[in-house]
Amino acid sequence: MSNYRILVVDDEESLCEILKFNLEREGFSVDVAYSAEEALAMDIKTYDLAILDVMMDELSGFGLARILRKRPETATLPIIFCTARDAEDDKIKGFDIGADDYIAKPFSIAEVVARVRSVLRRSSKREPQQPETTPTNEGVIIFQGLVVNTLRKVCTVDGEEVSLTRKEFDILSLLLSNRGTILSREQIMKRVWSDEVVVLDRTIDVNITRMRKKLGSYGAHIVTRTGYGYGFEE
């Protein structure tokens, strides 16, 4: 993983230097920014992962993440939130924005390195899972005006591109590839999230709810079967 570039954004300079030193010892290339505003002035799209502190002056880590998720060039950038907060609602908020992982302070460097490696490993798996239904073209899954290109990581609705987070895109691809089948939350967790990451049921619910809104009329095809899970029905 020596070719990976990581951006650490935290207003605690000492913590930035500690993370930079230890991650570089592991072979990563690391840059730091001491505020969200400083980070936005950088070419963030060139990084493979961002570690964002939540509690920063002016623009918070959550605010920075929202901006990154709205920009096409950084919409799928892996993000790990690093914060002193450890409340469930804060974790849900982070995952709702599209975070890939969440580390609560105080933490060990070994934990940070392990989580960084885990997120990078997941984000590097660009080969799409073999769908259980046959797409019209290789890597493309089509349902009426809803088109998901699993190779280009693009979703369009009636010809208009829809901005989905990485998790939303993966969940939609999974459900579309298994049309007519109800998948349990456990099955979705296993396919979309790594075993190393603890995912709350509510996290999946939040992603599904947000995705339905983005898909417009096609969102109604994503059905909930209480006690069983979710599916995409024609």
Side-chain angles (χ1 to χ4, degrees), residues 84-102:
R85 294 183 175 182
D86 196 21
E88 178 180 320
D89 286 346
D90 292 318
K91 290 186 178 181
I92 292 297
K93 185 176 181 180
F95 285 124
D96 184 30
I97 294 171
D100 293 83
D101 207 345
Y102 200 110

Side-chain angles (χ1 to χ4, degrees), residues 12-234:
E12 293 184 43
E13 294 189 19
S14 59
L15 182 58
C16 283
E17 295 308 315
I18 290 172
L19 289 174
K20 177 179 173 65
F21 174 78
N22 285 279
L23 289 170
E24 286 183 339
R25 281 208 320 174
E26 296 296 323
F28 299 106
S29 175
V30 183
D31 290 325
V32 300
Y34 302 123
S35 69
E37 292 80 6
E38 182 181 344
L40 288 171
M42 303 169 71
D43 192 6
I44 300 181
K45 68 177 182 296
T46 63
Y47 292 94
D48 300 291
L49 171 72
I51 300 176
L52 310 181
D53 181 41
V54 170
M55 300 299 293
M56 292 187 287
D57 292 335
E58 302 298 331
L59 185 62
S60 70
F62 287 152
L64 174 57
R66 289 192 184 95
I67 293 173
L68 297 179
R69 286 291 178 252
K70 289 179 181 179
R71 294 180 175 179
E73 66 271 21
T74 55
T76 60
L77 174 70
I79 292 175
I80 296 178
F81 280 121
C82 175
T83 178
R85 294 183 175 182
D86 196 21
E88 178 180 320
D89 286 346
D90 292 318
K91 290 186 178 181
I92 292 297
K93 185 176 181 180
F95 285 124
D96 184 30
I97 294 171
D100 293 83
D101 207 345
Y102 200 110
I103 303 174
K105 301 176 185 177
F107 50 74
S108 69
I109 292 299
E111 178 190 8
V112 174
V113 171
R115 289 182 180 273
V116 165
R117 290 188 183 279
S118 175
V119 170
L120 287 173
R121 194 161 49 241
R122 297 198 307 274
S123 66
S124 297
K125 294 177 181 177
R126 299 302 185 188
E127 291 299 319
Q129 300 246 3
Q130 184 64 33
E132 296 179 23
T133 59
T134 304
T136 302
N137 300 300
E138 183 180 359
V140 179
I141 310 171
I142 300 175
F143 174 74
Q144 298 178 9
L146 175 61
V147 180
V148 173
N149 188 316
T150 60
L151 297 178
R152 295 181 56 237
K153 307 301 182 186
V154 172
C155 172
T156 59
V157 171
D158 297 329
E160 296 292 327
E161 185 171 340
V162 177
S163 178
L164 299 177
T165 67
R166 181 190 306 272
K167 298 307 181 187
E168 291 168 356
F169 186 90
D170 290 345
I171 292 172
L172 178 59
S173 300
L174 177 62
L175 297 181
L176 267 178
S177 297
N178 294 276
R179 272 175 277 184
T181 299
I182 299 299
L183 300 175
S184 68
R185 286 183 175 84
E186 289 75 16
Q187 289 174 309
I188 296 174
M189 288 179 192
K190 185 175 181 181
R191 295 285 291 275
V192 176
W193 279 270
S194 167
D195 291 339
E196 298 100 329
V197 179
V198 177
V199 180
L200 304 172
D201 286 352
R202 188 178 162 197
T203 303
I204 296 177
D205 299 340
V206 166
N207 276 273
I208 292 285
T209 299
R210 188 176 56 218
M211 184 170 57
R212 279 180 175 141
K213 294 179 181 178
K214 293 182 179 181
L215 296 180
S217 61
Y218 294 104
H221 292 274
I222 300 176
V223 299
T224 304
R225 293 288 178 262
T226 304
Y228 294 96
Y230 294 100
F232 192 99
E233 294 189 350
E234 301 185 21

